Amino acid sequence: MSTPSGFDELIHPATRLSVVALLAAAEWADFPFLRDSLSLSDSALSKQLSTLEEAGYLEIRKEGGGRKRRTKVRLTSLGRTAFEGHVAALRAIVEGAGPAAAPAAAGPETAAATASDTHQRQDHAKAGR
């Protein structure tokens, strides 16, 4: 299976994907909000933000000075487009791996095993809530 169009290797790592997903739901976000929401250290978040900023996906604005200095972050239009493309690519991957993608020639045993696997995954998902 080839990688779908829009899949973004830069956004894909879990931490960066979480950062971008959180920012996609906001106009601007304060650094402490991001850090606390994602349970990251200051240095870990700073590193991820720098990587995304260098790619043109984020705008970082520092306001005030001294102890009152605040860092605010937002997605750029390029970042939002990249995120939306990546989400679409992930959906295409997931949809391609679903039961509808199973070979049509599969016999009843395969269909029963697939149904059993699906129920087990659902049970695991419920238990994780």
Side-chain angles (χ1 to χ4, degrees):
M1 175 177 178
S2 65
T3 303
S5 174
F7 188 89
D8 192 311
E9 294 284 345
L10 185 73
I11 292 175
H12 190 66
T15 302
R16 284 196 288 260
L17 182 58
S18 297
V19 168
V20 175
L22 194 56
L23 290 172
E27 181 64 29
W28 286 91
D30 289 332
F31 186 93
F33 171 77
L34 292 170
R35 178 197 61 215
D36 296 345
S37 296
L38 301 171
S39 300
L40 295 172
S41 66
D42 287 356
S43 62
L45 179 58
S46 291
K47 180 179 178 183
Q48 301 307 322
L49 294 180
S50 293
T51 299
L52 291 164
E53 182 184 36
E54 288 172 14
Y57 290 178
L58 300 182
E59 178 182 346
I60 299 174
R61 189 177 289 169
K62 298 188 185 274
E63 300 173 345
R67 292 181 155 256
K68 302 239 183 208
R69 187 170 191 163
R70 290 179 46 182
T71 300
K72 299 180 87 163
V73 184
R74 75 175 180 108
L75 278 180
T76 62
S77 58
L78 178 63
R80 189 168 302 278
T81 299
F83 174 67
E84 290 168 356
H86 189 67
V87 169
L90 291 175
R91 285 190 177 124
I93 291 169
V94 170
E95 288 169 3
E109 300 85 17
T110 304
T114 301
S116 175
D117 290 345
T118 300
H119 290 297
Q120 287 176 354
R121 282 193 300 265
Q122 290 171 345
D123 290 342
H124 286 295
K126 288 177 186 175
R129 288 184 192 166

